[in-house]
Amino acid sequence: MADSVVTFLLENLTQLLTQESKLLGGVEDQVKLLHNELRMINIFLQNSEGKRHDNLVKEVVSQIRDVAYEAEDVIDTFIVTETKHRKRSKLRKVIHYFDRASALHMVAKKIESIKNVIKEIYDNRSKYGIEIAEPSGGDAEAEEILNRRRRYVEEDQVVGFGHDTEALVKQLMDGNLQRTVVSIIGMGGLGKTTLARKIYNNYHIKNYFDFRGWVYVSQEYRIREVLLEVLKGVTPRPKLKRFVLKAELKEELLHGLEAIYSSDKTKFQGTVIEDLKVIKEMRDEECKNTLFEFLMTKKAEEDIKENILKDSRDDKLIDLLLNFVRDIYRMNGEGWQDMNDDELKSVLLECLKDKRYLLVMDDIWETELWAEVSSVFPDNLNGSRILITSRIKEVALDASSLNNSIPPNSPYELPFLKEDESWELFSKKVFRGATCPPELETFGKKIVKSCQGLPLAIVVLAGLLANKEKTYRTWSKYIGNVNSYLTEDRSSCTDILALSYNHLPRHLKPCFLYFGIYPEDFEIPVRQLIRLWKAEGFIRQTGNRNMEDVAEDYFEELIDRSLIQVATKRLDGGVKTCRIHDLLRDLCISESTKEKFLEVCSDVNLSPMRKSRRISIHHANHLKLSSKPCEPSYSRSLIGFGELESPFDTSYYLKWLCEGNKLVRVVELRNMGICCLIPKKIENLALLRYLSIPSSELHDIPESVCNLWNLETLDMRNSRLKCLPKGLWKLQNLRHLYLDGPISLPRIDNEAALPNLQVLTGIAINQDTVNLFGKSTFPNVRKLGLYSSREVESGLLSSLHPLCYLQTLKIYELFHLSIPISFQLTVTKITLVGAVLSRSNIRALGSLTNLRILSVRGVRQGCSEITLHCDESSFLQLEVFKMVNMDVLKWTMGNGAMPSLQRLNIEHCRFNYAAAKSILCLTALRDVEILHPSPILAKVVQQLQMRDGCKLQVYPPLDPTTLGWV
């Protein structure tokens, strides 16, 4: 993590030097010098990325990380001290003059010391001959051993894959005659190679293709080796345009010929062997042909002599010479290795010409590989196929997209094994054909469930138990401890999964390790995760792009690399929650511990002695706080999960943080069940960027919060607030303000604004709020959550016109809505909760031409009524419509109404027959999901099952025997 630490520190120093230089008064020059040193360090880290195979290089990187942490501590401590000093009155500044002078001297001294350490690190590079080398042969060999072990584990037992095999064989054999790419993707250990091998050996596949080839690619691939591997399987072997004998083998050939000639000169007098100069000057191919022609002729003559004279002495010498020459040319191979890459490509292209071939390229990591070799595989218009396996979705998409003339195949995402398949695989390995004892079956299934359907984990676990006593006493040790047994021997499981982590680019590594903060099997809210990444400094500014959008790209890349699993999706198709497999989570924690990146703890003493920069508390019954709260801690984040039984006042933990953890940037306690009141001393946390706490008690947010000039996220959901502090407008870096409303915004007398605010929720709509919208107080807000008020609600949409970046709007308790014809909103998603959905309100919503998602929700089942009247100009761009707890009184559809609606979600809604029949008029529907339908609705929607391209999901499932007309 040295990379992310140095990069983050560099960005902070750059910002301080350019925007907040007043905070560095007295030490600005020293900070500039430190900044320059760190830039050099960063260049070293960039050059060494992916090449840290040498232990000395690893040690240098480790030292860089530690010195970067130390530099960060020195700068941050000084900023906190200086911030506090600047808030003092003139009198108190005079009183503390000598204290500040001492602090300046101490900072300058520490920076100088850090610069000396950096210099020593650089000097040691030269002293110990540390170079940034390319991966050595030993590294490549180690990776190949790991890949062989991976293939053994994956192919050890084939279970399941019946449906997968059938679907993929169909893709390979049916369809377009053009050469196409079919891909299998999924996380490491999921069985991609096993499935590909099963398809490769399929009887129908063998008979269908003229040539089948298989090549293992891996991370440290070389184009040359890939080409040679394919050529080895081609029959008949291609005839080379020219033959080249390796120089060292030619020298050995000449020495050998000379030695044999010297042993019996008479025998070879007058032959080509006598004059080696002639042989030496021959071209390699001419030399080969001449030698074999001479030797085979001589051998035939000797055979005739042996038959007539019964003398085999000379024959033995000729045999010796013939075998020697054959060995030389056998060691040289076919001569391919002496060709350059372009020549190899030409040979392979010629070999595959006119053949219907299947080529499997297993374990591809880079898009560049396919771009370089794709031209070698000709499109013979006979149904040739390329089957690739990868952990990275981008690789599969890129390979499929190169066939521009035909629609690309979507990657086949391999699912985890089901519980019965997991048990079958486990049983085959453990009992080796025998039956599991009945008394162990329930227990065994519980153990296997811990593997979460990952074949790699199941096979490794089964291997551990196969040679142990099959008793309740032995197996009971594994309950709740499966992961620790699986990770004990890194080479079996962890290192195979770590290949994906090692292959991540530097900007994604801290983002991935951060998943270690979450408990096992936790459903992770993606938007919260992105806010935390932003507060931690993991997201790099990319041009003028919104940083939350950049962070979402980071997240999607982790999904595409099969490291994260999608749990639930939002209505717009984005990921709402996600999960990480327990073994990958354990990898995050183990790597984080080594890097001092984060530490997971429970029932522990949160003392300042902890070395990790981030502390994640899981299900602690009681936290033991340091007895010396004034002793500084250097942790930057405190994140908690699980209920906490506290003997203290609930605000004690925040008070303790304000005293002893003044360098903290992130405080996330909303998942701990702690009800905290924000203490006035919260302003001591000058670096705080993220604060999320619940409080069921009615209280005010203290004005001191407004002195947190770095604050980006303030999340007070599940808190009862009287009002917001008047100084709220001072929080110029605030990006996310989450409140449970309704609550009014404080008034302002000037042109104050929150220019960076992206999300604002829980706000009561009144005339003051409308005026704030009109003044462009929130020029960049993208998401709004509002509580309606009858006094201004009719003009609510008009008041939002100045918010030109607004995308998502949520309104509670709406009664009346109207919209002027003169403008259109940028809003693409609207959610209405507890609203009166009259005909006029629906007409107003239907006229919003940018609206793509509409969600309406009653507060209780069936208590909210809705009348839907849609003409040909209504909801022209609407793609998703969701209704929850609604009583649909009427739904009429004009010709061409809702022409773009593709997804319909209905939960706990009542329909009459006429309203339900209107659903059948939605001709663009592709996805319909209905939960707990009324009998009338259930009867109508079953007709959608007959519509091509429309996916219908109903829960509870439809029962044809009970669906009579109502």
Side-chain angles (χ1 to χ4, degrees), residues 360-373:
V360 180
M361 303 185 74
D362 185 32
D363 201 25
I364 300 183
W365 292 80
E366 303 286 353
T367 56
E368 290 80 3
L369 169 70
W370 179 250
E372 192 164 349
V373 302

Side-chain angles (χ1 to χ4, degrees), residues 611-827:
K611 301 295 183 185
S612 289
R613 307 306 265 189
R614 297 161 188 86
I615 304 296
S616 181
I617 308 160
H618 292 185
H619 309 291
N621 293 325
H622 170 51
L623 296 182
K624 303 170 189 175
L625 304 182
S626 172
S627 59
K628 299 178 180 179
C630 293
E631 188 178 346
S633 168
Y634 296 111
S635 294
R636 294 306 196 276
S637 305
L638 182 64
I639 303 158
F641 299 90
E643 295 294 324
L644 178 67
E645 298 176 9
S646 171
F648 301 114
D649 170 66
T650 52
S651 299
Y652 182 78
Y653 296 103
L654 273 184
K655 291 177 182 176
W656 173 78
L657 275 175
C658 295
E659 293 293 334
N661 287 59
K662 294 181 181 179
L663 304 184
V664 73
R665 292 193 198 105
V666 171
V667 177
E668 171 57 270
L669 301 178
R670 205 158 65 91
N671 291 307
M672 287 198 74
I674 299 176
C675 293
C676 295
L677 301 180
I678 300 178
K680 292 181 179 179
K681 287 187 177 182
I682 194 75
E683 63 182 341
N684 289 350
L685 308 181
L687 304 177
L688 191 65
R689 297 182 174 194
Y690 184 108
L691 178 62
S692 176
I693 56 171
S695 176
S696 58
E697 300 180 35
L698 189 65
H699 74 288
D700 295 332
I701 298 177
E703 284 288 336
S704 57
V705 164
C706 303
N707 294 323
L708 299 174
W709 54 281
N710 281 302
L711 194 64
E712 296 176 352
T713 296
L714 179 59
D715 190 344
M716 298 296 294
R717 283 174 290 188
N718 301 322
S719 298
R720 298 171 60 202
L721 301 177
K722 297 177 184 176
C723 61
L724 293 172
K726 294 179 180 178
L728 178 73
W729 311 107
K730 293 193 293 183
L731 298 174
Q732 293 295 288
N733 288 312
L734 193 65
R735 301 178 73 87
H736 311 100
L737 179 57
Y738 290 96
L739 305 166
D740 271 349
I743 189 168
S744 298
L745 290 166
R747 293 186 178 183
I748 53 175
D749 299 325
N750 50 30
E751 298 303 316
L754 295 176
N756 290 301
L757 196 68
Q758 307 280 311
V759 178
L760 177 63
T761 69
I763 302 301
I765 286 292
N766 50 38
Q767 194 58 52
D768 290 337
T769 309
V770 170
N771 292 339
L772 290 173
F773 291 154
K775 293 179 181 179
S776 295
T777 310
F778 316 108
N780 291 301
V781 74
R782 303 171 80 184
K783 181 178 180 179
L784 265 181
L786 304 173
Y787 282 80
S788 184
S789 169
R790 293 198 179 209
E791 61 178 286
V792 294
E793 68 178 7
S794 62
L796 174 58
L797 294 180
S798 301
S799 70
L800 302 178
H801 183 234
L803 307 179
C804 55
Y805 293 102
L806 185 63
Q807 297 175 359
T808 302
L809 177 64
K810 190 172 188 176
I811 308 175
Y812 292 85
E813 302 168 1
L814 179 72
F815 289 91
H816 180 64
L817 197 62
S818 62
I819 183 168
I821 304 174
S822 58
F823 71 88
Q824 283 297 327
L825 292 176
T826 57
V827 175

Side-chain angles (χ1 to χ4, degrees), residues 540-547 550:
R540 305 284 169 253
Q541 186 67 58
T542 306
N544 294 322
R545 289 191 65 199
N546 181 280
M547 292 188 77
V550 176

Side-chain angles (χ1 to χ4, degrees), residues 70-82:
E70 186 179 352
E72 185 182 40
D73 292 339
V74 170
I75 299 298
D76 285 354
T77 301
F78 177 73
I79 290 172
V80 169
T81 304
E82 187 66 12

Side-chain angles (χ1 to χ4, degrees), residues 167-407:
L168 286 165
V169 166
K170 184 177 176 61
Q171 276 196 53
L172 293 171
M173 295 178 59
D174 295 350
N176 204 292
L177 290 177
Q178 287 182 276
R179 185 208 68 185
T180 56
V181 177
V182 177
S183 55
I184 306 170
I185 62 171
M187 73 173 279
L190 201 50
K192 300 180 295 296
T193 299
T194 304
L195 176 58
R197 181 63 71 181
K198 186 173 183 179
I199 293 166
Y200 184 79
N201 291 323
N202 179 274
Y203 172 78
H204 300 290
I205 291 290
K206 285 181 178 180
N207 289 333
Y208 184 74
F209 291 99
D210 305 325
F211 166 73
R212 294 175 304 124
W214 184 292
V215 56
Y216 293 109
V217 182
S218 79
Q219 289 183 13
E220 300 296 337
Y221 76 89
R222 291 175 178 81
I223 292 293
R224 182 175 195 78
E225 293 174 0
V226 172
L227 297 173
L228 288 170
E229 190 67 27
V230 179
L231 278 168
K232 287 178 184 176
V234 177
T235 54
R237 292 292 177 90
K239 185 177 180 181
L240 304 180
K241 293 181 180 178
R242 65 181 178 86
F243 177 80
V244 179
L245 182 62
K246 294 179 183 177
E248 65 271 19
L249 289 176
K250 188 161 187 176
E251 187 176 348
E252 185 179 342
L253 174 66
L254 293 171
H255 282 303
L257 292 175
E258 185 178 12
I260 294 173
Y261 171 73
S262 300
S263 69
D264 193 341
K265 292 182 180 180
T266 305
K267 178 69 178 175
F268 297 105
Q269 189 175 6
T271 68
V272 68
I273 304 297
E274 184 177 25
D275 191 354
L276 293 180
K277 286 183 180 180
V278 175
I279 293 179
K280 191 173 184 179
E281 291 172 358
M282 287 181 180
R283 289 183 296 106
D284 289 337
E285 190 165 1
E286 183 185 0
C287 175
K288 178 183 179 183
N289 293 337
T290 300
L291 283 174
F292 276 109
E293 183 179 353
F294 162 71
L295 290 170
M296 296 309 293
T297 302
K298 204 70 176 167
K299 179 76 166 63
E301 291 175 357
E302 295 297 333
D303 287 344
I304 293 171
K305 286 182 181 179
E306 182 180 9
N307 291 333
I308 297 173
L309 304 174
K310 308 300 181 182
D311 181 4
S312 61
R313 181 181 61 80
D314 292 338
D315 186 49
K316 289 180 180 177
L317 187 59
I318 293 297
D319 284 345
L320 176 66
L321 179 57
L322 182 58
N323 289 334
F324 166 71
V325 173
R326 280 174 173 166
D327 287 342
I328 289 290
Y329 286 103
R330 189 179 295 114
M331 285 188 285
N332 189 69
E334 300 292 333
W336 294 333
Q337 51 270 69
D338 296 292
M339 290 182 172
N340 61 38
D341 290 357
D342 288 337
E343 289 172 327
L344 285 173
K345 289 178 182 178
S346 298
V347 170
L348 183 54
L349 186 65
E350 186 64 28
C351 289
L352 296 178
K353 188 178 179 181
D354 299 327
K355 286 186 172 69
R356 179 158 62 199
Y357 58 87
L358 168 66
L359 179 65
V360 180
M361 303 185 74
D362 185 32
D363 201 25
I364 300 183
W365 292 80
E366 303 286 353
T367 56
E368 290 80 3
L369 169 70
W370 179 250
E372 192 164 349
V373 302
S374 59
S375 60
V376 176
F377 308 125
D379 187 356
N380 301 321
L381 296 177
N382 59 3
S384 293
R385 300 288 184 259
I386 312 291
L387 177 62
I388 69 174
T389 72
S390 180
R391 303 186 189 191
I392 303 173
K393 191 173 185 178
E394 183 188 3
V395 170
L397 290 172
D398 188 74
S400 298
S401 66
L402 288 183
N403 286 333
N404 296 323
S405 57
I406 60 173

Side-chain angles (χ1 to χ4, degrees), residues 473-489:
R473 184 182 65 82
T474 302
W475 283 25
S476 63
K477 298 174 184 177
Y478 286 77
I479 291 291
N481 301 300
V482 167
N483 287 352
S484 60
Y485 281 101
L486 291 177
T487 54
E488 255 180 15
D489 179 7

